[in-house]
Amino acid sequence: MSTQTSDNNKRIAKNTIILYARTLFVLAVKLYTSRLILKYLGVTDYGIYNIVASFIAMFTLLNGALTTSIQRFLTYSLGEKNELKMRNVFSASLTILFFLSLLIVIIAETIGVWYVNCKLNIPMNRLEAANWVYQFSIITFVMEVITVPYNSILTAFENFKAFAYFDILNAILSLLLVISIRFISWDSLIFYGAGLLLIAILIRFLYSFYCHKNYDCSHFKIVRDKSLYKSLFSFSFFSFFGNMGNVIGEGGINIVINLFFGVTLNATRGISTQVSNAVGGFIRSFTTALNPQITKNYAEGNKERYTKLVFYSAKYSFLLLTLFLVPVMVNVHYILNLWLTTVPPFCEIFVQLMLLQSLIHILFNPITTIVNATGNIKQYQIGTFIILISNIFFIYVVYEAGCAAYIGIIVQCIITFIQLLFSMFVMQKVTCINAMSFFRNVVLHVFCIFAICFIFSYGCKYYLMSIDWHPLISILASIIITTTVCFFIGISKNIKEKIITLLLKKIKK
């Protein structure tokens, strides 16, 4: 292994640990913060803030597509070692986002103001406060939009340490803001909206100051390269397609469930999605640390390295997710009853199936990254859009046929697997990475490991239930079984040797 490859692997490991720690800390702070917001604002003001801010939040779909585009072009330029191109991409991105922000402000100050004042069901005595919060939300969103290129520079240079510090600072300041509500004498809702705006401005300033000080490419200049703007817009347009498919698909499934089973099953799916997202958030830290390396190596033309990273990312993110998911899936009854006062009907099977879908989904995250790296995303994103919205049709058909509610989630899992196969096909077409090799060495391998972990953990659980042991023992046993199987069957020999060597060194110390 070359020195550069070894350094890159160490950087990936270090960044993964940093992002895991960041995710864990921010998640804990946000959970506590959300609890305090409801307490100090009250149900009515909290509801007003959410419904008013939700109108502005709709624009995050477009912003998300541009973020993907900017990150791809910056990381690719860095892989090419083309600093001039990086600076041009950064400056062009800021220009685009400035005009996007201007468009959002125009829409928000016309249609949005009418919508808030004439269509939303807001108590008359809180309408003035709602308008203040709405104006604060517009400026806050603009600050977040303009921060995207700076955030993308940190990602391209794999400076996840600074990225984590800014996220942690944001979470702490938001918590302090909520705590301070109890000590102020004026309108708490207006105070909260103004406070979030000040935090957004501060974070925007810190990002720009840090990047200007450490990265020359973050200095703005006027760019007149029409081909660059065209490339950024084209990439963003097709990324928007994929994002839109996800939004329409998820929203459509919720509507279909509501049509056939009512709001109770919507609550069930909502809880299942929360569990799936919470567990998946930790694993995304691992893929986030790997993504820049995949793009850079593609830009360098290092096929052996980027192929290895795609396989590595898919395999080990699946195994890491398995470590979390199997204990939850096997002991879902105990966990849900511990977490919720009242468990909605079908919640257990919904959670298990949604977690299974997350396992399938994690496999094509690195495929999306390598396809994005090529810039040839039209077929991939249009195909993804069609597959995602097809969920609505097929789930409607099975419910119309009289099937149980959980059958729709099984259909969703099957379609997600079809999406994985489609992603593999496109990956082979645009990068020449062998799809059958990926299926054989990654997909089949990891699903066999998952099946072994699940079967043995379930068997252990039912044995412990028969002798009336506490469910916590079952969770612990499941963790031990899953960790053992993943270590001895899932991990390659050289990585096992490195882990054992590292552990021995720690023990000797």
Side-chain angles (χ1 to χ4, degrees):
M1 182 186 294
S2 67
T3 304
Q4 184 181 359
T5 302
S6 178
D7 290 343
N8 286 337
N9 288 341
K10 288 177 182 177
R11 191 184 304 117
I12 290 168
K14 180 183 176 182
N15 286 334
T16 301
I17 293 168
I18 290 170
L19 288 169
Y20 267 127
R22 185 271 316 224
T23 304
L24 187 64
F25 181 85
V26 170
L27 179 63
V29 172
K30 282 185 175 180
L31 286 172
Y32 184 61
T33 302
S34 61
R35 180 182 175 184
L36 291 182
I37 291 172
L38 187 59
K39 179 181 178 182
Y40 294 143
L41 285 185
V43 175
T44 301
D45 277 1
Y46 184 58
I48 290 171
Y49 175 79
N50 277 286
I51 192 63
V52 168
S54 67
F55 183 84
I56 303 299
M58 289 191 297
F59 294 105
T60 56
L61 193 64
L62 183 58
N63 188 42
L66 282 165
T67 301
T68 303
S69 177
I70 294 164
Q71 286 183 352
R72 183 267 171 188
F73 280 89
L74 281 172
T75 308
Y76 192 94
S77 301
L78 183 59
E80 290 181 312
K81 298 178 175 58
N82 189 336
E83 189 171 335
L84 177 62
K85 186 177 178 182
M86 276 200 77
R87 188 169 181 178
N88 286 342
V89 170
F90 173 81
S91 298
S93 301
L94 264 182
T95 303
I96 292 169
L97 290 171
F98 171 77
F99 284 107
L100 172 65
S101 300
L102 189 62
L103 175 63
I104 290 170
V105 169
I106 292 170
I107 295 171
E109 293 293 0
T110 52
I111 298 172
V113 170
W114 168 80
Y115 179 77
V116 169
N117 287 277
C118 300
K119 291 297 178 182
L120 291 182
N121 184 17
I122 297 172
M124 285 301 296
N125 64 328
R126 301 303 293 148
L127 195 57
E128 183 182 354
N131 275 282
W132 275 106
V133 169
Y134 180 69
Q135 295 299 323
F136 292 144
S137 298
I138 295 170
I139 306 170
T140 301
F141 183 75
V142 169
M143 290 297 105
E144 291 172 353
V145 168
I146 301 299
T147 305
V148 166
Y150 298 99
N151 188 313
S152 299
I153 283 179
L154 296 181
T155 301
F157 281 96
E158 300 176 72
N159 188 353
F160 291 110
K161 188 175 182 180
F163 183 77
Y165 282 149
F166 289 131
D167 261 12
I168 289 169
L169 176 63
N170 194 356
I172 292 172
L173 289 175
S174 298
L175 174 61
L176 293 175
L177 171 66
V178 173
I179 292 172
S180 64
I181 290 174
R182 64 184 297 189
F183 301 108
I184 56 105
S185 57
W186 48 298
D187 195 296
S188 57
L189 181 58
I190 296 175
F191 176 80
Y192 179 64
L196 288 179
L197 171 58
L198 291 175
I199 291 170
I201 293 171
L202 175 63
I203 296 298
R204 162 69 175 84
F205 171 76
L206 290 174
Y207 262 110
S208 58
F209 176 78
Y210 182 87
C211 289
H212 286 161
K213 187 177 179 181
N214 293 279
Y215 305 108
D216 291 335
C217 61
S218 66
H219 295 276
F220 178 79
K221 68 172 186 175
I222 295 173
V223 177
R224 295 184 173 88
D225 185 350
K226 292 182 181 179
S227 63
L228 177 57
Y229 285 108
K230 184 179 178 181
S231 297
L232 285 166
F233 273 118
S234 176
F235 193 98
S236 300
F237 175 77
F238 290 112
S239 292
F240 180 77
F241 245 96
N243 292 343
M244 181 63 78
N246 188 54
V247 171
I248 293 173
E250 286 297 307
I253 291 168
N254 282 327
I255 291 170
V256 172
I257 288 174
N258 182 264
L259 285 173
F260 285 92
F261 302 102
V263 294
T264 303
L265 265 294
N266 285 124
T268 297
R269 190 169 188 273
I271 290 166
S272 306
T273 303
Q274 284 184 45
V275 174
S276 178
N277 289 341
V279 177
F282 291 101
I283 309 308
R284 280 189 287 275
S285 299
F286 176 70
T287 55
T288 300
L290 271 167
N291 288 345
Q293 282 286 319
I294 293 173
T295 304
K296 287 176 188 175
N297 279 277
Y298 181 83
E300 293 169 3
N302 190 346
K303 183 182 177 182
E304 181 182 354
R305 176 68 177 163
Y306 70 68
T307 301
K308 185 176 181 181
L309 286 171
V310 169
F311 280 54
Y312 179 94
S313 178
K315 178 180 178 181
Y316 289 106
S317 56
F318 187 101
L319 293 178
L320 283 169
L321 193 55
T322 298
L323 292 175
F324 285 96
L325 257 57
V326 170
V328 174
M329 291 174 76
V330 170
N331 300 281
V332 66
H333 177 79
Y334 173 73
I335 292 169
L336 286 176
N337 280 278
L338 190 68
W339 177 36
L340 303 171
T341 306
T342 304
V343 180
F346 299 107
C347 198
E348 292 178 26
I349 186 67
F350 264 55
V351 168
Q352 288 174 325
L353 290 171
M354 292 286 284
L355 291 177
L356 178 61
Q357 186 194 10
S358 295
L359 273 172
I360 302 168
H361 197 277
I362 202 75
L363 287 170
F364 52 81
N365 280 351
I367 298 177
T368 302
T369 301
I370 191 62
V371 172
N372 283 345
T374 68
N376 185 10
I377 65 169
K378 180 179 179 180
Q379 183 182 14
Y380 183 77
Q381 293 294 352
I382 292 176
T384 298
F385 175 83
I386 293 168
I387 292 169
L388 287 171
I389 63 171
S390 71
N391 274 296
I392 303 170
F393 171 75
F394 289 109
I395 291 173
Y396 183 90
V397 169
V398 296
Y399 287 161
E400 184 67 27
C403 295
Y406 68 87
I407 300 298
I409 312 303
I410 293 175
V411 170
Q412 197 175 357
C413 288
I414 294 169
I415 292 174
T416 304
F417 190 78
I418 293 169
Q419 187 184 353
L420 171 62
L421 297 178
F422 169 75
S423 301
M424 289 162 51
F425 165 77
V426 177
M427 176 182 68
Q428 177 170 300
K429 184 178 179 180
V430 299
T431 69
C432 297
I433 295 176
N434 191 287
M436 277 308 299
S437 177
F438 183 87
F439 186 81
R440 184 174 58 253
N441 295 311
V442 177
V443 179
L444 286 180
H445 181 64
V446 294
F447 270 107
C448 286
I449 292 168
F450 169 76
I452 293 168
C453 294
F454 190 80
I455 291 167
F456 276 90
S457 294
Y458 239 113
C460 183
K461 173 197 171 183
Y462 279 107
Y463 171 74
L464 292 172
M465 285 175 61
S466 69
I467 56 176
D468 204 27
W469 280 34
H470 196 277
L472 284 175
I473 305 298
S474 173
I475 294 173
L476 180 61
S478 182
I479 292 170
I480 293 170
I481 290 168
T482 306
T483 305
T484 304
V485 172
C486 287
F487 182 80
F488 285 104
I489 302 177
I491 299 175
S492 62
K493 184 180 178 182
N494 64 323
I495 293 179
K496 269 189 281 196
E497 289 173 352
K498 287 178 182 178
I499 293 172
I500 292 168
T501 303
L502 182 64
L503 289 173
L504 290 174
K505 283 182 181 179
K506 295 288 183 183
I507 292 169
K508 287 178 182 179
K509 287 182 181 180

